[in-house]
Amino acid sequence: MSIIKISIHYLNDITWRDALECDFVINNSVDVWRINISSNLSVLNDFLAIINPGELARANRYYHTKDRNRFIVSRGALRIILGKYLNHAPAAIEFEIGVNKKPHIKNPGNTGIFYNISHAGDWILLGVSNAIIGVDTEQINYDYNYQDVLKDNFSGEEVSYINQTLSFERFFTLWTRKEALTKATGKGLDSDLKLIPCLEGVHSAQSDVMSSTHDWLINTFKVNEHNLGSVAINPGTVTTKFWDIAF
């Protein structure tokens, strides 16, 4: 067991750049993509043409059309974007489940491209890097009874912070941080969640609690006025760029 450092920041002034400006080259950097679900429903058939039979079967298991469409947009967008980084046809991208059930790219030509994806409300958030990464987005839901989950999932200091002011925004901000980090490590959400720090600043944590032996940087930002996002990355990452794409 060792002690690791977790640095957490809120990024107030990010710019979502047009995808046409992206060179799809990852070099000690992170690209964060936002994809709007509703605005891409017009090309649903294009996404259906590139997902594999297993993904189609998963899509058809959804009872509600909106959930089926979200899954198809998510998988199609993931394939198209990763295909540009790998110089592969989108339909040729292969995935497999690795350690701690964390999915990764199977293609032999993959030269160290890692990804993680999340969705909430009308948005999909995708992070791409050349190191292990975790992302999470949450829609600020003012009807959610967050008080029911505070005791089991947040420290006393975190609970106090949430309850001071702007409680819904603060709750979902902290939740995205915890989930992004657990997705990066593949740990999953469990009884140790309250031990994972999520307040802004620099924290120390036990490596066994984090299922990780190296340090982490978590950046939080607004996806739009309704959604918050966080990305957990290698603290040595030089740049993080934010991209908006429509197909």
Side-chain angles (χ1 to χ4, degrees):
M1 183 181 67
S2 59
I3 300 298
I4 64 174
K5 183 170 71 174
I6 302 171
S7 303
I8 303 175
H9 306 284
Y10 193 103
L11 306 181
N12 287 299
D13 300 314
I14 67 169
T15 299
W16 292 97
R17 301 166 62 178
D18 192 298
L20 295 175
E21 302 175 21
C22 185
D23 59 9
F24 294 95
V25 174
I26 292 292
N27 183 16
N28 197 25
S29 60
V30 173
D31 284 343
V32 177
W33 294 87
R34 69 174 184 180
I35 303 109
N36 184 261
I37 298 170
S38 294
S39 64
N40 286 289
L41 293 179
S42 61
V43 292
L44 206 63
N45 287 336
D46 295 335
F47 293 140
L48 284 168
I50 61 174
I51 64 176
N52 65 30
E55 291 167 331
L56 180 59
R58 287 175 61 187
N60 289 332
R61 285 197 291 268
Y62 284 102
Y63 180 79
H64 296 289
T65 300
K66 68 175 184 178
D67 295 327
R68 177 181 183 271
N69 290 347
R70 183 201 66 234
F71 179 81
I72 294 169
V73 172
S74 175
R75 298 306 292 184
L78 175 65
R79 286 181 168 277
I80 291 172
I81 293 171
L82 291 182
K84 292 182 181 294
Y85 287 101
L86 297 170
N87 196 28
H88 286 334
I93 305 295
E94 299 180 45
F95 303 96
E96 65 180 357
I97 303 300
V99 178
N100 292 332
K101 298 182 179 179
K102 187 174 175 63
H104 61 87
I105 301 166
K106 182 181 179 180
N107 297 69
N110 178 20
T111 55
I113 296 292
F114 296 84
Y115 78 93
N116 199 234
I117 193 166
S118 177
H119 60 78
D122 204 28
W123 290 94
I124 297 163
L125 195 67
L126 169 65
V128 182
S129 180
N130 52 3
I132 296 173
I133 183 172
V135 303
D136 186 58
T137 183
E138 300 290 340
Q139 185 178 31
I140 303 172
N141 180 0
Y142 293 98
D143 294 323
Y144 182 65
N145 189 7
Y146 67 87
Q147 293 286 348
D148 287 348
V149 303
L150 292 184
K151 181 180 178 180
D152 292 334
N153 297 290
F154 294 87
S155 69
E157 187 179 5
E158 292 162 358
V159 171
S160 176
Y161 172 80
I162 291 170
N163 287 331
Q164 285 175 17
T165 184
L166 301 173
S167 295
F168 287 95
E169 290 88 341
R170 290 188 172 197
F171 169 80
F172 286 106
T173 294
L174 300 195
W175 187 266
T176 65
R177 292 170 176 172
K178 286 180 183 279
E179 185 141 4
L181 190 51
T182 58
K183 289 179 70 178
T185 63
K187 179 180 176 58
L189 302 176
D190 58 21
S191 58
D192 289 332
L193 198 62
K194 67 168 16 179
L195 302 179
I196 298 174
C198 60
L199 293 174
E200 193 161 348
V202 179
H203 307 269
S204 297
Q206 295 181 353
S207 58
D208 60 335
V209 170
M210 304 308 306
S211 295
S212 175
T213 57
H214 62 81
D215 298 338
W216 290 96
L217 168 64
I218 302 176
N219 287 325
T220 302
F221 46 87
K222 285 187 177 181
V223 178
N224 78 333
E225 64 270 25
H226 304 297
N227 275 54
L228 295 162
S230 287
V231 55
I233 55 178
N234 186 316
T237 301
V238 175
T239 59
T240 300
K241 296 179 182 178
F242 297 86
W243 303 99
D244 182 84
I245 190 167
F247 299 93

